[in-house]
Amino acid sequence: MTAGTATHAPLYAAGSEPAARFRDLLAAEWLKLWSLRSTPWAYLVTALAVIGFNVGQAYDTYRYWSTEAAGDRDKFIRDGIPLAEAFTSNAVLIHVLAAGAIGAVTVVGEYGSGLIRTTFAAVPARRSVMAAKVVVVAAVTTVFGALVALVSFFSTQAILNGRDIGVSLDHPGALRVVVASALITPVAALVGMAIGTLLRHMGSTMIVTVATLLVLPMVVSPDRHWSALIAHALPFPAWRRLTEPGGHLAAYPWSEGGAWTVYAVWALAAAAVTVCSVHRRDQ
């Protein structure tokens, strides 16, 4: 270098750019998630639908609760009906379907638009990119699920308290219902992501996601041993075990710990498929 030339040598030689930091990948995935105009609408519509189903069920109970039924108040609470109405089965079906779709769109949408090629060209470390997607989607859907579950619980119990049949969050089993209903959201979203990573087509991804999360649990019967074993390995039956009163009285009962384990295994397995399959498939 001669006198008079620039005194600062380049920090990195050509072709040896520094690897992107993981927090930068998280920030990029966060921006991509919320840059889609459909994202806030998807969360808003899902929240309104789920909370609406739960509030509607609680209001029906409030409306038709007669003075003759007042003597059944203790039995009503003892049987866990207020908790069952805090997050109903119809509401969780919508919740799981929407969460699975939201998770699938984060992957399939990028493949459909071709943006994924730009992403991988900018960051060749594909596993790191997909891991950042998993972390962002899991975090956002967990917060979303917690908000929906809490709003559903407090709004339904406020309605039921009008007939003195509501319960508080410290009631036995109430917190379990809220947590289980909240965590089914990231589980479903991660499953949708994993299936989307494998199929990369929105139509087929949604069909397989719905079949896995919603149809298969309806096909298997809890009254046969082999069928009950399959049911005990699926997220939706695990949610029912954790939230519905009398779940431990089935023909082939299983523990709460087993249901929580199903949540964890599905979430971890879906995350592993999302992170690892994109690297192996595109070699």
Side-chain angles (χ1 to χ4, degrees):
M1 182 178 295
T2 61
T5 59
T7 58
H8 297 286
L11 295 177
Y12 301 96
S16 61
E17 292 84 358
R21 294 173 298 183
F22 191 69
R23 66 182 182 184
D24 295 330
L25 298 180
L26 292 175
E29 293 304 325
W30 174 269
L31 290 175
K32 281 193 287 186
L33 177 65
W34 295 107
S35 64
L36 297 174
R37 284 182 290 180
S38 61
T39 298
W41 284 107
Y43 284 109
L44 177 61
V45 171
T46 301
L48 292 177
V50 171
I51 295 170
F53 264 96
N54 296 328
V55 167
Q57 181 65 47
Y59 179 73
D60 282 345
T61 300
Y62 170 87
R63 181 180 179 184
Y64 295 107
W65 187 265
S66 62
T67 54
E68 290 78 10
D72 297 331
R73 174 187 175 277
D74 292 339
K75 184 177 184 301
F76 185 87
I77 295 176
R78 185 173 61 251
D79 290 344
I81 309 303
L83 298 181
E85 295 189 357
F87 217 95
T88 63
S89 295
N90 288 334
V92 83
L93 290 176
I94 297 175
H95 203 53
V96 167
L97 178 61
I102 289 171
V105 166
T106 60
V107 174
V108 180
E110 266 197 88
Y111 277 102
S113 65
L115 180 60
I116 196 70
R117 291 191 293 271
T118 304
T119 300
F120 288 154
V123 185
R126 299 182 177 188
R127 290 177 180 173
S128 297
V129 172
M130 301 309 290
K133 285 183 182 293
V134 167
V135 172
V136 170
V137 170
V140 171
T141 53
T142 298
V143 173
F144 173 70
L147 289 174
V148 172
L150 287 170
V151 171
S152 290
F153 179 83
F154 286 115
S155 58
T156 55
Q157 301 315 303
I159 294 172
L160 295 176
N161 277 331
R163 300 297 187 188
D164 198 26
I165 52 176
V167 298
S168 62
L169 191 58
D170 59 358
H171 183 81
L175 185 60
R176 184 181 70 248
V177 169
V178 172
V179 174
S181 300
L183 293 183
I184 193 69
T185 317
V187 172
L190 291 174
V191 170
M193 283 190 72
I195 296 173
T197 304
L198 294 174
L199 301 182
R200 303 181 181 180
H201 182 270
M202 195 62 198
S204 55
T205 296
M206 286 309 304
I207 291 174
V208 176
T209 300
V210 171
T212 302
L213 295 175
L214 300 180
V215 176
L216 185 57
M218 297 179 183
V219 173
V220 295
S221 170
D223 298 327
R224 295 185 178 90
H225 184 261
W226 66 269
S227 186
L229 291 177
I230 298 175
H232 292 176
L234 300 174
F236 183 65
W239 173 84
R240 296 181 66 176
R241 170 63 184 87
L242 293 168
T243 60
E244 292 189 355
H248 59 286
L249 302 177
Y252 297 97
W254 50 321
S255 66
E256 291 180 18
W260 290 120
T261 301
V262 170
Y263 269 32
V265 169
W266 274 85
L268 293 174
V273 169
T274 301
V275 172
C276 298
S277 64
V278 68
H279 180 81
R280 295 181 61 85
R281 178 173 176 177
D282 293 334
Q283 292 300 310

